[in-house]
Amino acid sequence: MSATDLSDSKLPTVIGILIVGAGPAGLGVAQALLACGIEDLLVVDRKGVGASFEAWPQQMQLLTPSFHSNPYQQPDLNAITPDTSPADYLGTQHPCGTQYASYLRGVAEHYHIPVESWTTVLEVQKLLEGWLVTTSRGIVHCQFLIWAGGEFQFPERGRIAGTEGLSHASEVADWTTLDGVEHAVIGGYESGVDAAINLAKQGKTVHLLSRGEPWHTNDPDPSKALSPRTRDRLREVFVQRPGSIRFYKNADIVRVEKLRDDYLLFDAEDTPLQVSTPPILATGFKGSLGLIAGYLEWEAGRPVFSEASDESTVAENLFYCGPLLRHRGSMFCFIYKFRARFGIVARTIAERMGVVWRKPLARHAACGFMIEDLSCCTDCQCAVAAVGEDPPEVRDFKGSVLPAVC
Ligand SMILES: Cc1cc2nc3c(=O)[nH]c(=O)nc-3n(C[C@H](O)[C@H](O)[C@H](O)COP(=O)(O)OP(=O)(O)OC[C@H]3O[C@@H](n4cnc5c(N)ncnc54)[C@H](O)[C@@H]3O)c2cc1C
């Protein structure tokens, strides 16, 4: 148990601010509140600090590079406070999950962030005054509730029939332990491409199937296009193991069937692809908002948060911090994006508590941890047009798949 981990202590029954989730979002917003001198807060986590990163596949590393540029008011892209840097703390540019979790524990210790591990929030109820939160270790009444439960621990299985028993990419602990020489990966965004690269590096053949053609997207927003890090890794595979990753566009898989020892993947028009190993799902994440869904406004299946303070638009004093945040159609799904709102949430709560925030949050404001001008969401074009680049060979799922052996 770390100095900040209170899991052997008694859970308080009343607290000013309860933060759910001890990942980058929960710890980052907690530090911003502590910077304002607000200590009546508690972070709870169903596992512990950095639990999602501890669960990353062994080979997975942060895509966003770390570099200690903080003194120049441009904090390390993966930092969760203005004055810490994973690059400096870990001495690496692309930390793996366990390394980044150790950075998070370092931050929690340094800023004395109170964390109760092994405390799962089971139910949330709005009261006339504040919130009643039922946890696995007791009931807590709080005035402000900040949800920072993340997404990684809640995989989306993609509404594909017959996938029971198949692994989601986030559930694979180590890509070197998979049997077989040929794999199908369903989903062509970052997680799917990461899986394909890790398998190809072991000399395996990978069928990478995706709706549309996400690897082709030449979008200036890194949340919508493959990251430069992933493109570099793909280029390496194209040179070292040409042909090992087969890209299939327009592959909208709707069902998987077992055929003796093999698996058949079908799209809606019954085009089959036969593989000898269980397909891997890289179909995204549904996120952790289930318990508070009833206290949020939803638009086209997405939660709406106020532009002023990332607060629920229908339930006062319920805030969200983390990668599911969207404003003006823009996704805040990277740390450097959602941390831009830590200072905003902290400021709002400080104001409501009558606490001075301007000077205490000056570093947050100066370092991009307190961005209120959301025009950053509406124009992320680079002044110089990007040079487009696609994988060397992409097949259309319908035209290129061999008939299955039935
Ligand atoms: C595969 C993948 C790769 C990514 N790579 C990058 C990257 O390279 N760079 C980047 O900036 N971002 C990346 N992201 C975005 C990523 O979501 C964030 O970096 C980060 O993990 C989100 O932080 P978080 O604190 O919101 O969530 P998490 O780190 O998931 O933390 C949430 C915490 O909440 C806890 N929790 C959840 N529900 C409950 C509950 N009911 N009760 C109590 N505790 C609960 C969990 O145990 C967990 O510890 C990646 C995401 C994924 C899925």
Side-chain angles (χ1 to χ4, degrees):
M1 193 175 82
S2 73
T4 48
D5 187 333
L6 311 170
S7 55
D8 280 348
S9 64
K10 204 168 177 299
L11 200 69
T13 49
V14 180
I15 192 95
I17 305 163
L18 188 74
I19 301 172
V20 183
L27 297 174
V29 73
Q31 189 273 328
L33 287 158
L34 289 170
C36 298
I38 299 172
E39 293 186 348
D40 186 17
L41 64 82
L42 179 67
V43 182
V44 292
D45 198 288
R46 64 204 286 252
K47 292 180 179 167
V49 171
S52 293
F53 290 88
E54 292 283 7
W56 274 20
Q58 205 175 303
Q59 293 78 12
M60 201 159 104
Q61 296 169 290
L62 282 177
L63 307 165
T64 36
S66 273
F67 202 91
H68 180 41
S69 40
N70 303 45
Y72 294 84
Q73 299 200 344
Q74 300 163 73
D76 185 320
L77 284 182
N78 298 316
I80 60 163
T81 72
D83 297 307
T84 61
S85 159
D88 181 46
Y89 187 75
L90 302 166
T92 188
Q93 184 169 248
H94 292 280
C96 66
T98 50
Q99 287 175 319
Y100 193 73
S102 110
Y103 158 74
L104 293 178
R105 284 193 296 275
V107 171
E109 296 258 336
H110 178 77
Y111 292 101
H112 305 289
I113 300 174
V115 178
E116 290 268 5
S117 298
W118 306 111
T119 309
T120 306
V121 171
L122 303 169
E123 200 183 337
V124 169
Q125 198 188 336
K126 175 117 182 73
L127 304 177
L128 276 178
E129 278 289 316
W131 296 86
L132 197 66
V133 179
T134 306
T135 81
S136 54
R137 291 182 51 225
I139 291 177
V140 184
H141 180 269
C142 61
Q143 190 187 352
F144 299 96
L145 180 61
I146 303 178
W147 196 267
E151 55 182 355
F152 186 78
Q153 296 180 31
F154 309 90
E156 169 63 73
R157 303 184 75 83
R159 292 193 203 94
I160 302 172
T163 56
E164 305 77 21
L166 299 184
S167 293
H168 189 276
S170 62
E171 294 160 348
V172 175
D174 180 349
W175 290 108
T176 65
T177 59
L178 265 59
D179 291 333
V181 293
E182 173 206 38
H183 298 272
V185 176
I186 307 176
Y189 285 92
E190 291 287 358
S191 298
V193 176
D194 181 63
I197 292 171
N198 285 313
L199 293 167
K201 279 187 169 173
Q202 297 164 60
K204 301 182 178 214
T205 299
V206 185
H207 303 280
L208 184 66
L209 312 159
S210 186
R211 280 189 191 135
E213 215 178 343
W215 46 77
H216 170 75
T217 314
N218 204 1
D219 197 295
D221 183 353
S223 303
K224 295 179 184 161
L226 289 184
S227 69
R229 161 89 173 152
T230 303
R231 287 175 185 261
D232 278 347
R233 294 175 71 214
L234 272 177
R235 278 183 214 111
E236 239 174 72
V237 171
F238 296 154
V239 171
Q240 289 169 3
R241 305 204 178 273
S244 57
I245 304 180
R246 300 184 183 168
F247 292 80
Y248 299 84
K249 62 179 177 178
N250 305 324
D252 191 352
I253 303 302
V254 296
R255 95 177 180 275
V256 175
E257 283 178 16
K258 188 110 176 33
L259 177 77
R260 293 184 285 276
D261 288 340
D262 288 356
Y263 293 80
L264 292 173
L265 286 70
F266 294 97
D267 68 0
E269 289 161 39
D270 270 349
T271 315
L273 174 76
Q274 186 166 352
V275 281
S276 52
T277 55
I280 295 153
L281 306 173
T283 35
F285 298 86
K286 57 177 175 245
S288 63
L289 298 179
L291 292 180
I292 55 164
Y295 296 111
L296 300 175
E297 181 187 347
W298 294 80
E299 226 174 68
R302 297 185 203 288
V304 178
F305 299 101
S306 72
E307 285 201 2
S309 55
D310 300 347
E311 186 176 15
S312 162
T313 51
V314 290
E316 203 186 15
N317 295 337
L318 171 62
F319 297 85
Y320 174 74
C321 286
L324 301 170
L325 188 66
R326 274 184 180 241
H327 283 301
R328 304 184 190 182
S330 192
M331 297 179 269
F332 285 58
C333 62
F334 286 109
I335 293 159
Y336 76 90
K337 291 184 168 188
F338 64 71
R339 76 182 183 190
R341 305 289 287 178
F342 291 165
I344 300 288
V345 172
R347 177 186 73 182
T348 307
I349 293 177
E351 270 169 356
R352 289 183 194 172
M353 290 177 119
V355 170
V356 171
W357 55 267
R358 199 173 296 275
K359 204 165 165 204
L361 289 178
R363 283 286 294 158
H364 283 73
C367 293
F369 284 69
M370 197 171 163
I371 293 181
E372 52 188 333
D373 176 6
L374 290 172
S375 60
C376 61
C377 303
T378 44
D379 183 16
C380 64
Q381 291 288 336
C382 175
V384 185
V387 181
E389 191 185 8
D390 289 330
E393 198 191 333
V394 179
R395 304 142 202 250
D396 202 297
F397 188 68
K398 284 173 204 19
S400 63
V401 180
L402 292 176
V405 184
C406 294

